[in-house]
Every structure is written in structure tokens, then in C-alpha cells.
Amino acid sequence: MKSKNNFFKKLLGIVSCMIMAVAFNATAGATCAVAIGCAPEAGAIAGNVLAFALCKAAPAGSIRIGVLTEIWTGEQIKQFRTALESWGWLARIRSYNQYVNNDVIHFVEIGGDPKVLVNNTTYPIPITALEDADKPVSLDKFTTEATPVTNDELHAISYDKMASVQERHRDVLVEIFGQRAIHAIAPDENKKGVPVLYTTGEVADGRKLMTSADLLAIKRSFDKMGIPKADRVLVLCADHVNDLLQTEQRFKDHYNINQTEGKIGRLYGFDIYEYDGTPYFNADGKKLAWGAIPGATDMQSSVAFYAGRMMKAAGSTQFYWSKAENDPINHRNLVNFDQYGICLPLSEANCRAAIVSAKA
């Protein structure tokens, strides 16, 4: 009798696992199908057919969650890159995905220019070698903290729970990528070719408000640097947007007309966007290090850049998954992602600027 009970318990466990696997594969397949414009029913069937085919080919005793890993990794790559290409000001920056190799981009550092001889009468003409250098740049690695999904949750609610978890991981990765990008684009401090300006308006809340004169000052700085008129982008922090809404009717009109993808409109030669993740500068006019917590004397900036001299790239994605059956105490699955990517100026100077709220 005891052996029969053990047999039925094992059988029940196998059946439960099979049901969960089928449901999970169906959900993953349906999600992918919807993303590419196909019927979710077809995707659900295809997900299980693919899982069955790969599992049949797998050696005995191997872990058969691999197909799910492939599905979720592929979907995460697609959705992450799609988000970068449609996300406000970040979408204005050219993608260098095709140049990524093993999460490294190899840029060519151009050698010196040849000299020009005018009315030369001396021969032989001198020879000058122009030696270019390889400049590899490693992509940043962004890792999300693991999210627990218990078996009880999967039984109690719809299996869209996993799709929801993946979506939240993707959204937070894109947000942090954006913050890292605008931080890298902003100048470190005021130098020739990388100006850091300050607001000049009336004093309120311990700082000087941004005005239209400040927008004009940014335009003048770009004009002096010889930056092309097209593809100038200005990313305003919330404080500066609110300042201009309070004092500039023309800005308010643009804000009310066009507020899609964080875009406000075009003024003073800039395509203007609103974004809260811009970097802070300290009282000495230096940009805070990435990840530093702003203090009472640190002020947030707005960042301007020429999109033609910026780059972004998304590298590899790694999906991590631990199964609940390997966690006898908590009965929970754990999910998280590694995502490689980078956004940088292609040149140090004459392509970017920042304007910081002046301390009153």
C-alpha cells in the first residue's frame, strides 16, 4: 500500500510538472507570436511543439528548461532594442548594434592628417605615414535583481505572470540605460568645447529659474562650436520644464500641443524633450559620479547634444532562471537578466553642453 501511495505521488508530481511546462511554453509562445503580429493561439502551439522537439533531441537527464530560456532571451533582446529605438530623445541617437562583437565595439582612432605642400619644388616629396589605432570599448553590463515567482502564484493566477515579470525587468533596464546614457553625454565640467552654463532667472526655492534667455545661451554656445543646425537635441529636467512653463508662454504653447514620447517641441533650433534622469552637478561645477546621491548643494542639469556625434549599442542578453523544484524550502522560481549596452559621445568636444540651476 505504501509503495502504491509513493507511486501515485510521483505520478501526480510528474503530471503537475508537465502541466506547468505546457502552460509556460504556451504563454511564452503566445507572447512571442503577439509581438511579431501572429495569432496567440498559433504561438502557444508552436511553443510546445518547439519545446517537445528540442527535448526529444536533448540527452537523457539534461535540463529541459533550455527552450524557455531561448524564448525569453530572444523576446527580451527584441523588446529591449525596440524600446531604445522608440524612447524619446534616446531614439535620436544612431544605433551601432551591428558593430558589437562579444560585447565590445572596436572604434578606429584616426591618425594625423598629411601636410599640404603649396607650390612645391623639392623632390622627392616627403612621406608621412597615417597610422590608425584600434580603440576597443567594452559595453556596460546591467544586471537586474532576481524576482521570485512562487509555484502558488503560478497556480493561483493566470500564466501572464511571467510575461509581466519580464516586462518589468525590461522597463527598468531601459530606464537605467537612459540614465546612464544622459550621464555619459553630459560634460564632466566646464571646458573649451564642452560648456556648462547656469540659469539666470529670478530666485525661487533656493535657485535661479531657467528662462528663454538661457535657452538662447545654449543655442549661442552650439553656434560658436560650429555644430550643425539639424539634429540638435535638448533634454530638460523637470525643474527647468516647470520654470519655462511658469514664465514663457511660447514654451507653454508647445508643451500643450505636442507631448508624445517625452517630446515638447522645437524651439531655438533644438528638438526639446523632458526627462527626469539627467545628472546633477556639485557647487564646484563638476558632474557627480554615476550612482552618487545628490546632496543639498547639488543641482540638477539639463543636457544638450548633437545627435550626429553620439552612439548607442545594445549587446548580449542573458536570462537567468532557477526552478522552484530546486528550492524545496520556498518553492519559488527566481528570474533576472544581464543586459549589455552603452551610449557615448563619439567625440569629446564640440557636440554637447549642460545647463545647471544656479544656486541662489
Side-chain angles (χ1 to χ4, degrees):
M1 180 64 69
K2 188 174 181 180
S3 61
K4 276 188 176 183
N5 288 339
N6 289 336
F7 170 77
F8 283 117
K9 283 182 180 180
K10 289 182 179 179
L11 180 61
L12 182 60
I14 292 171
V15 171
S16 298
C17 288
M18 288 178 64
I19 292 173
M20 287 183 63
V22 169
F24 198 88
N25 287 339
T27 302
T31 302
C32 293
V34 170
I36 62 175
C38 297
E41 297 84 359
I45 295 171
N48 280 291
V49 170
L50 181 61
F52 179 76
L54 292 181
C55 286
K56 290 283 286 184
S62 64
I63 298 175
R64 297 189 174 180
I65 198 67
V67 63
L68 301 178
T69 301
E70 293 299 324
I71 290 174
W72 287 115
T73 301
E75 180 65 12
Q76 184 76 354
I77 292 172
K78 176 180 178 295
Q79 295 294 340
F80 182 80
R81 294 187 176 184
T82 299
L84 296 190
E85 296 305 320
S86 61
W87 197 53
W89 59 268
L90 195 56
R92 301 293 301 277
I93 298 174
R94 180 184 171 189
S95 171
Y96 276 63
N97 291 345
Q98 67 271 31
Y99 302 114
V100 176
N101 185 14
N102 293 325
D103 295 318
V104 174
I105 291 183
H106 291 267
F107 290 100
V108 175
E109 192 169 30
I110 304 299
D113 296 327
K115 293 182 180 179
V116 177
L117 307 177
V118 180
N119 298 326
N120 177 66
T121 58
T122 303
Y123 296 90
I125 293 174
I127 298 172
T128 302
L130 305 179
E131 297 183 359
D132 298 338
D134 177 52
K135 187 179 180 182
V137 176
S138 297
L139 273 61
D140 293 324
K141 183 174 78 169
F142 302 88
T143 302
T144 58
E145 294 183 346
T147 298
V149 182
T150 66
N151 275 356
D152 289 343
E153 287 180 282
L154 293 179
H155 280 293
I157 62 177
S158 74
Y159 284 92
D160 283 344
K161 170 72 175 182
M162 290 305 301
S164 172
V165 168
Q166 185 197 22
E167 181 180 359
R168 281 178 281 172
H169 278 253
R170 182 190 68 241
D171 289 347
V172 74
L173 283 168
V174 171
E175 175 61 31
I176 295 300
F177 184 93
Q179 292 178 17
R180 177 73 168 171
I182 202 67
H183 184 276
I185 291 171
D188 292 330
E189 58 183 326
N190 184 47
K191 293 186 294 187
K192 183 179 180 180
V194 279
V196 175
L197 310 176
Y198 287 89
T199 56
T200 59
E202 296 180 0
V203 174
D205 297 326
R207 64 180 184 85
K208 294 183 179 180
L209 304 181
M210 175 176 270
T211 67
S212 59
D214 298 327
L215 292 177
L216 185 56
I218 303 172
K219 179 186 182 302
R220 283 202 181 101
S221 70
F222 268 46
D223 292 341
K224 288 180 181 179
M225 291 187 287
I227 296 175
K229 297 295 189 290
D231 292 327
R232 293 182 179 185
V233 177
L234 175 58
V235 183
L236 294 175
C237 67
D239 279 344
H240 293 167
V241 168
N242 293 334
D243 293 347
L244 293 167
L245 285 174
Q246 179 179 328
T247 60
E248 307 298 333
Q249 183 61 44
R250 186 181 173 197
F251 184 86
K252 185 184 296 185
D253 292 341
H254 278 266
Y255 190 89
N256 292 332
I257 290 173
N258 185 6
Q259 247 295 8
T260 59
E261 303 294 342
K263 184 175 182 179
I264 294 170
R266 185 170 178 84
L267 284 170
Y268 296 90
F270 288 94
D271 292 323
I272 300 179
Y273 295 82
E274 180 177 5
Y275 180 55
D276 292 338
T278 53
Y280 283 74
F281 283 70
N282 64 22
D284 296 325
K286 295 183 178 180
K287 180 175 66 178
L288 266 61
W290 168 253
I293 299 174
T297 60
D298 300 326
M299 305 299 285
Q300 195 170 14
S301 67
S302 293
V303 180
F305 62 87
Y306 170 52
R309 294 178 192 156
M310 302 292 150
M311 62 79 63
K312 69 174 183 284
S316 65
T317 302
Q318 179 66 52
F319 172 50
Y320 295 94
W321 163 270
S322 66
K323 296 189 294 182
E325 64 188 62
N326 296 326
D327 185 358
I329 297 177
N330 300 300
H331 295 186
R332 67 181 179 183
N333 310 276
L334 289 175
V335 177
N336 76 324
F337 288 89
D338 276 348
Q339 175 66 58
Y340 285 83
I342 201 165
C343 182
L344 291 171
L346 288 170
S347 59
E348 170 64 23
N350 301 326
C351 62
R352 57 206 176 113
I355 182 164
V356 185
S357 292
K359 195 77 175 174

